[in-house]
Amino acid sequence: MRRQLNQLWALPVFAPLVALVALLAPIALVAPLHASDWPARSVTVVVPFAAGGNTDMMARLGAQYLSTKLGRTFVVENRPGAGGALATGLVSGAAPDGYTLLFAASSMITLTPQLQKLSFDPEKQLVPITNVGTGTQMIAIKRELPVTTLPELLAYAKANPGKLNFTVAGTQNISHLAPALLFARAGVDLVMVPAKGGPQAVSDLMSGQVDLYFGNSSELLPHINSDRIRLIAVGTAKRLATAPDIPTVAETFPGFEFSSWNGFLAPAGTPEPIITAIRNEISELAKSPEVSERLTKLGIVPGGLSREQNEEVFRKDRESFAAAIKAAGIASQ
């Protein structure tokens, strides 16, 4: 198992978290915590995306920690497909015994059902446990634009309708819907230029081919001192600890918030002692000084949310996505 983990974290996509994983050993050297006699065997953690990216990296971080603390292997299984519905449906129909878990972004529960006709109900069939972290969204513009703030950008766009464009890392996701709602509220018109994914979106912005990208902060923060792009706003309710000088969108449009809860979910009916055991361990992981600092540097807000906090996040996400779907002119299901 150690050899496999060493090989895994040697992959380039996991480079930002290699040092973070190394910190887990001293944190986890305590007696395992058990909920009754669970886990008596290995646990499968299903991820609805291919390896790489924030969600997958946090899933592996959490799975490794739980393996160490609970004394059984938590195996990450990547099951991409159908916009995440494949993996979500698999876990929704799994036995509620704690041996099959889902690690996903909240959008799998709060957005996907609004866009796709599903043969299952993730809101009723899955229970959020807690998150490892919350990925944040950030607005970046090319420095050639004659603006330096979000209000200035929106005023410039309003004075020049159809002149500016924005890129998205795929459609019908946060990078598409967040700016769609923002532009609708601001009453501005920008031309959408789809990219194949985040790396291409950032590359197109850096090269000056597009004017704006509302993307993951982990993609954009490394360019905070770039002479090609300017980071002007974040989509979280509060400013990022790692970039406190960058305002939130909510400072211009109160209540505007788009971010990505990334955490563990279990089939509805999973015994509460199991839910509590996982939540307690992941909260300990996310809130430990070493891990919290590392996540923060990646532009990820450390997790470990309570049941009530999870419910509030999911409620707000549903409402935000519903409004954004309408603003984007997408027919909801």
Side-chain angles (χ1 to χ4, degrees):
M1 181 66 182
R2 183 180 297 277
R3 180 178 301 172
Q4 293 174 337
L5 287 172
N6 288 339
Q7 292 173 343
L8 167 68
W9 292 103
L11 293 173
V13 295
F14 295 109
L17 288 180
V18 171
L20 176 55
V21 173
L23 291 170
L24 296 182
I27 298 174
L29 291 179
V30 298
L33 172 69
H34 293 276
S36 184
D37 56 355
W38 176 90
R41 53 185 170 85
S42 63
V43 177
T44 299
V45 180
V46 182
V47 178
F49 307 109
N54 283 348
T55 302
D56 181 70
M57 287 191 289
M58 283 186 269
R60 293 176 187 276
L61 178 65
Q64 184 189 2
Y65 189 76
L66 290 172
S67 295
T68 304
K69 291 297 294 292
L70 299 179
R72 296 289 179 177
T73 303
F74 282 67
V75 181
V76 172
E77 180 180 307
N78 297 93
R79 296 291 294 267
L86 180 65
T88 307
L90 176 68
V91 180
S92 293
D97 55 10
Y99 290 100
T100 304
L101 304 173
L102 179 69
F103 193 98
S106 56
S107 59
M108 298 295 98
I109 316 301
T110 59
L111 172 61
T112 302
Q114 298 190 57
L115 298 175
Q116 299 181 34
K117 290 184 178 179
L118 303 174
S119 60
F120 59 95
D121 188 340
E123 293 189 28
K124 294 181 179 179
Q125 293 178 243
L126 291 169
V127 177
I129 301 175
T130 194
N131 61 333
V132 171
T134 295
T136 59
Q137 301 297 116
M138 180 172 285
I139 299 177
I141 60 175
K142 64 181 183 183
R143 282 189 177 268
E144 296 174 8
L145 293 178
V147 299
T148 59
T149 67
L150 179 59
E152 289 177 356
L153 171 71
L154 297 175
Y156 182 76
K158 184 170 290 188
N160 298 273
K163 180 179 180 179
L164 299 181
N165 60 34
F166 69 106
T167 189
V168 296
T171 57
Q172 298 191 10
N173 56 24
I174 291 182
S175 75
H176 171 204
L177 296 174
L181 182 59
L182 173 63
F183 301 153
R185 289 189 176 177
V188 299
D189 179 26
L190 278 74
V191 178
M192 186 171 74
V193 182
K196 293 181 179 180
Q200 182 191 339
V202 174
S203 176
D204 289 348
L205 182 65
M206 294 286 289
S207 66
Q209 297 182 53
V210 295
D211 299 310
L212 179 148
Y213 176 44
F214 201 152
N216 288 331
S217 59
S218 58
E219 299 172 328
L220 294 168
L221 274 175
H223 306 288
I224 192 169
N225 295 316
S226 170
D227 59 359
R228 297 183 180 183
I229 67 173
R230 188 189 308 274
L231 310 183
I232 63 170
V234 295
T236 45
K238 298 179 180 179
R239 296 191 182 195
L240 296 182
T242 191
D245 294 333
I246 300 177
T248 66
V249 178
E251 291 175 43
T252 301
F253 291 95
F256 188 99
E257 182 179 353
F258 272 94
S259 55
S260 181
W261 180 102
N262 293 273
F264 287 93
L265 302 99
T270 299
E272 188 58 37
I274 294 176
I275 300 291
T276 300
I278 296 173
R279 182 182 295 122
N280 288 345
E281 296 298 348
I282 295 303
S283 294
E284 180 180 304
L285 166 68
K287 295 176 182 179
S288 64
E290 298 90 346
V291 174
S292 178
E293 179 181 358
R294 292 285 181 170
L295 288 174
T296 299
K297 287 182 178 179
L298 292 172
I300 298 171
V301 179
L305 298 182
S306 67
R307 178 195 298 273
E308 293 75 17
Q309 290 172 324
N310 289 329
E311 291 174 351
E312 181 64 9
V313 167
F314 278 57
R315 182 190 66 79
K316 287 184 177 180
D317 280 358
R318 289 187 192 95
E319 293 178 353
S320 294
F321 280 127
I325 288 170
K326 182 177 181 180
I330 301 171
S332 59
Q333 296 299 321

